[in-house]
Amino acid sequence: MRPQLDTSRYALSQDSSAKAASAITALDQAHQSATGEALAREAITATTDARFFGLYADTPALVYGPRAEAIHGFNERVDLESVRRVTKATAMFIADWCGTEEI
């Protein structure tokens, strides 16, 4: 009999798999390379689709994005320079996580 999953939540910080540790390390390194700063980790109370991957697809789920204010509000806004930094870090993370090849 398989153990029951708590399908109501997923927290990467509670995922002790080697995949999760590898994903966290790759994102930490990509962020550091792109910004010159250590990645600040913040707990959020919102539910995201990321939990689906952690719970049902055996894939660590990372939520990473630009600085924003008033998310989903009528006055939602985002810091454009942080979008540039996050885009660069995300590209570096994907290259590290998925690998690259000569073209």
Side-chain angles (χ1 to χ4, degrees):
M1 179 184 273
R2 292 177 52 178
Q4 290 287 64
L5 286 174
D6 178 356
T7 59
S8 65
R9 64 190 183 118
Y10 172 82
L12 182 64
S13 62
Q14 295 173 358
D15 187 336
S16 59
S17 70
K19 280 185 190 178
S22 178
I24 293 168
T25 298
L27 183 58
D28 280 342
Q29 291 172 347
H31 180 85
Q32 176 75 38
S33 293
T35 67
E37 299 174 1
L39 178 61
R41 297 181 187 178
E42 298 177 20
I44 59 172
T45 58
T47 299
T48 70
D49 292 338
R51 71 186 175 120
F52 170 84
F53 297 101
L55 292 172
Y56 304 112
D58 191 31
T59 302
L62 300 163
V63 177
Y64 178 71
R67 287 278 170 209
E69 295 179 29
I71 302 298
H72 302 301
F74 72 93
N75 59 343
E76 178 178 19
R77 57 196 169 275
V78 66
D79 172 32
L80 291 179
E81 188 55 40
S82 73
V83 172
R84 291 182 188 95
R85 288 189 302 268
V86 166
T87 301
K88 183 176 179 181
T90 300
M92 295 170 78
F93 169 81
I94 292 169
D96 181 44
W97 185 256
C98 298
T100 60
E101 60 184 49
E102 288 277 332
I103 56 171

